[in-house]
Amino acid sequence: MVALVALLLGVAKPPAAYLRVGPARVPLAISSWCWHSRCGAPIAASKSAATVASGTTVRAELTFVPATARLAVGGAPVKVARHGSELSWRATHGGGLTLRVSSGSGWVTYVG
């Protein structure tokens, strides 16, 4: 029984997400989440960076299909296009990004 509880607790975590810029795939850090009735706020610092030229298409690859997605780059809202589990936008200015997505399973805020 203890092993089953430990297994279930290990499974209840938010899904991973990545930025794809050309061939580079950079993991996004998770700052807060509520997923399958479990929540956390690890406020993890992003350990990787992606550098892109203005006008480049940036893609966020999620491991689930989001119902909603809100993106801010450098604190300014950015419109995203949704295509299944992929979000895309054009880089127009620099700064850190905050991506908040939700689905029927919960929500996750990613940073990069």
Side-chain angles (χ1 to χ4, degrees), residues 20-25:
R20 169 114 21 218
V21 181
R25 187 173 187 233

Side-chain angles (χ1 to χ4, degrees), residues 10-31:
V11 171
K13 63 181 182 178
Y18 304 88
L19 277 187
R20 169 114 21 218
V21 181
R25 187 173 187 233
V26 178
L28 290 171
I30 296 170
S31 71

Side-chain angles (χ1 to χ4, degrees), residues 42-69:
I43 309 176
S46 183
K47 294 178 176 71
S48 302
T51 303
V52 299
S54 183
T56 301
T57 298
V58 181
R59 290 179 173 72
E61 297 175 349
L62 307 173
T63 53
F64 65 98
V65 176
T68 65

Side-chain angles (χ1 to χ4, degrees), residues 7-107:
L7 176 65
L8 291 175
L9 289 175
V11 171
K13 63 181 182 178
Y18 304 88
L19 277 187
R20 169 114 21 218
V21 181
R25 187 173 187 233
V26 178
L28 290 171
I30 296 170
S31 71
S32 58
W33 59 277
C34 280
W35 201 259
H36 293 296
S37 301
R38 301 223 356 136
C39 299
I43 309 176
S46 183
K47 294 178 176 71
S48 302
T51 303
V52 299
S54 183
T56 301
T57 298
V58 181
R59 290 179 173 72
E61 297 175 349
L62 307 173
T63 53
F64 65 98
V65 176
T68 65
R70 290 192 328 240
L71 172 69
V73 176
V78 174
K79 183 176 174 150
V80 297
R82 289 190 289 154
H83 307 283
S85 62
E86 182 181 279
L87 307 172
S88 62
W89 65 93
R90 288 250 183 241
T92 58
H93 60 278
L97 73 82
T98 303
L99 175 62
R100 188 178 195 282
V101 292
S102 68
S103 77
S105 297
W107 58 268

